[in-house]
Amino acid sequence: MRKRYILSVVAMMLLPLMAGAQALKGSYFLDNSLQRHRLNPAFAPRANYFSVPVISNVGLGVYGNVGPADFLYPKNGELYTFLNQNVTMEEFSKNLPARPVVDLDVDTDIFNFGFSALGGFWTVDAGIRVDGQIGLPRDFLIFAKQGMAASEQGYSLKGFDMYQTSSIYAAVGHSRDLSFLVDGLRVGGKLRFFLPVEHIGLTMGDSYLSMSQDKWTVNSSASGVIAASFLEVNPEALNGDSEQEFLNVNTSSIGPAGFGFSVDLGAEYKLNVGSIVDGLTFSLSALDLGGYFFGKNKVQGLESKGTAVYEGIKDIEMGSEGVNMEESLDALKDEFLALANLQESADPMYSSVGTGAKIYAGVEYPVLHDMMSVGLLYSGKFGYSKMQ
């Protein structure tokens, strides 16, 4: 039976992030936080500030429809991954969504400051952002769990995709109290400009995997996009037709791959009606409403070509003694690219993509004479949307 460790690698990559990346969200209801305007531009710090470059803020956000409980199972004092035989197929599959997705955002400051002026509070910041998304079809996870349960089986690979964008940005935000119009209302907005350095998108489309005892056959409709001034794809490397790496990197030509922009909008409303509910606060924000637009000469298209016979995922070891994580992750990358069977395309599937809009909605109520409060926060993120 072929080894089935590819999803172990993915799980090990994602679980620590899903478990510990909510630090910035924890400041949503902290009035003294200097950074919570990142979650709602209507929020205004209580004092002017200037943050130390680079080390002042490193934000890490994770959004997804799966969590550690979907892949790790405590039993009899032991912790098992979903691939372990002590975890039944029913236990693993009963709560598994049709398309498990995890989005990762990493944001670090170059500079960041805020000040009161012209009747409101202004924020100015610049930084580096990396956005990523990985999607795995439910069928593929089921296959990873049960393997070859019959002589012939088929699995849909629709929803198997990876996206990642790295960019430099600058933003200006403004928050203003509108109590003179509606008592307790405060609104805010932020305009952000991007210089994307690189973007990589790969999707298996409607590809289908057919399995028999001696081979796998992929009916592939995969496609991809590379947008960068310093990256060039060499598809022949996937099939052993070239000694070059799949990605050729030329650091001397690093520059913008295009441009982008986004808008943040937010509002906060605090009740003050002379009753027990006074101080109850509602807040709502929509962030990163915009897109990246890549230069036509910086975009390289990739596509699959029909049916490919594949020997299967191999040489990826997780859980054995002396495992080399770096080698396993490299193997994961190589196996995914080989499964996609990508070749260069003259017509890229898109040259612009959405920035990944986010939504936050909060309700907060003060207790003990405003010494503390109880809050409820909802957060969500839309995945990558191809705009062209």
Side-chain angles (χ1 to χ4, degrees):
M1 183 181 294
R2 293 183 172 92
K3 298 173 183 178
R4 298 179 283 112
Y5 295 108
I6 183 170
L7 272 304
S8 288
V9 179
V10 175
M12 295 301 176
M13 292 168 62
L14 298 179
L15 291 177
L17 299 175
M18 290 187 283
Q22 310 304 323
L24 185 58
K25 292 181 184 179
S27 68
Y28 190 91
F29 297 113
L30 299 180
D31 293 340
N32 292 323
S33 171
L34 300 178
Q35 302 298 331
R36 69 185 193 130
H37 64 84
R38 296 174 181 269
L39 303 176
N40 187 329
F43 294 154
R46 294 180 174 179
N48 298 343
Y49 70 92
F50 176 80
S51 297
V52 178
V54 181
I55 64 173
S56 62
N57 177 70
V58 177
L60 180 61
V62 175
Y63 307 80
N65 57 3
V66 291
D70 295 300
F71 298 99
L72 297 177
Y73 295 81
K75 288 188 172 186
N76 303 320
E78 300 287 341
L79 188 63
Y80 300 107
T81 70
F82 71 100
L83 295 177
N84 192 280
Q85 62 182 358
N86 291 299
V87 179
T88 67
M89 175 60 72
E90 182 181 0
E91 287 178 297
F92 173 60
S93 63
K94 65 179 179 181
N95 295 321
L96 196 65
R99 181 175 178 260
V101 178
V102 175
D103 286 6
L104 171 66
D105 300 336
V106 181
D107 191 329
T108 184
D109 281 343
I110 297 175
F111 63 81
N112 180 11
F113 61 91
F115 58 93
S116 296
L118 304 176
F121 195 90
W122 296 81
T123 59
V124 179
D125 54 279
I128 300 171
R129 173 183 290 187
V130 179
D131 299 322
Q133 172 184 296
I134 180 170
L136 295 170
R138 189 177 190 274
D139 263 16
F140 192 75
L141 290 168
I142 295 298
F143 151 69
K145 174 64 177 170
Q146 71 181 14
M148 289 293 295
S151 58
E152 291 191 22
Q153 287 182 284
Y155 299 91
S156 171
L157 299 180
K158 185 174 183 179
F160 199 153
D161 52 34
M162 298 180 183
Y163 298 95
Q164 186 262 321
T165 306
S166 301
S167 57
I168 300 171
Y169 71 87
V172 177
H174 181 66
S175 173
R176 180 175 291 269
D177 188 354
L178 296 184
S179 291
F180 64 93
L181 294 177
V182 178
D183 188 29
L185 177 64
R186 189 176 190 94
V187 298
K190 183 177 291 190
L191 181 61
R192 186 178 293 103
F193 295 95
F194 293 99
L195 287 179
V197 178
E198 56 83 19
H199 169 81
I200 298 175
L202 296 172
T203 177
M204 294 298 292
D206 293 322
S207 299
Y208 193 82
L209 174 63
S210 300
M211 297 181 60
S212 64
Q213 293 290 349
D214 56 349
K215 65 181 180 180
W216 299 359
T217 302
V218 181
N219 299 306
S220 180
S221 62
S223 56
V225 165
I226 305 285
S229 61
F230 63 97
L231 288 178
E232 184 181 1
V233 172
N234 178 30
E236 289 78 12
L238 297 178
N239 303 317
D241 298 331
S242 172
E243 295 183 357
Q244 300 181 31
E245 293 290 335
F246 174 70
L247 285 178
N248 299 323
V249 181
N250 183 4
T251 56
S252 64
S253 63
I254 292 179
F259 70 94
F261 70 89
S262 69
V263 175
D264 296 351
L265 301 173
E268 181 184 33
Y269 176 63
K270 182 177 292 186
L271 286 176
N272 185 18
V273 294
S275 72
I276 193 173
V277 296
D278 279 2
L280 182 64
T281 303
F282 301 91
S283 57
L284 177 67
S285 65
L287 311 181
D288 286 324
L289 305 173
Y292 300 104
F293 304 88
F294 308 112
K296 297 290 186 181
N297 62 335
K298 302 292 174 58
V299 176
Q300 184 178 10
L302 302 169
E303 65 180 359
S304 63
K305 292 192 175 180
T307 301
V309 177
Y310 183 58
E311 294 302 324
I313 297 167
K314 57 184 183 302
D315 300 327
I316 298 181
E317 295 285 355
M318 291 295 295
S320 60
E321 294 183 3
V323 64
N324 187 309
M325 176 64 77
E326 182 178 355
E327 291 180 359
S328 294
L329 296 181
D330 286 342
L332 170 62
K333 175 200 69 175
D334 294 340
E335 298 294 354
F336 176 82
L337 293 173
L339 191 63
N341 190 36
L342 294 168
Q343 304 293 327
E344 189 166 5
S345 168
D347 185 20
M349 62 176 174
Y350 62 86
S351 60
S352 56
V353 66
T355 49
K358 309 176 188 68
I359 293 178
Y360 291 93
V363 179
E364 183 182 14
Y365 184 69
V367 295
L368 300 177
H369 304 288
D370 213 12
M371 294 178 61
M372 62 180 296
S373 65
V374 177
L376 180 64
L377 176 64
Y378 167 83
S379 66
K381 181 180 179 180
F382 296 93
Y384 273 85
S385 57
K386 305 173 187 65
M387 300 171 63
Q388 178 182 332

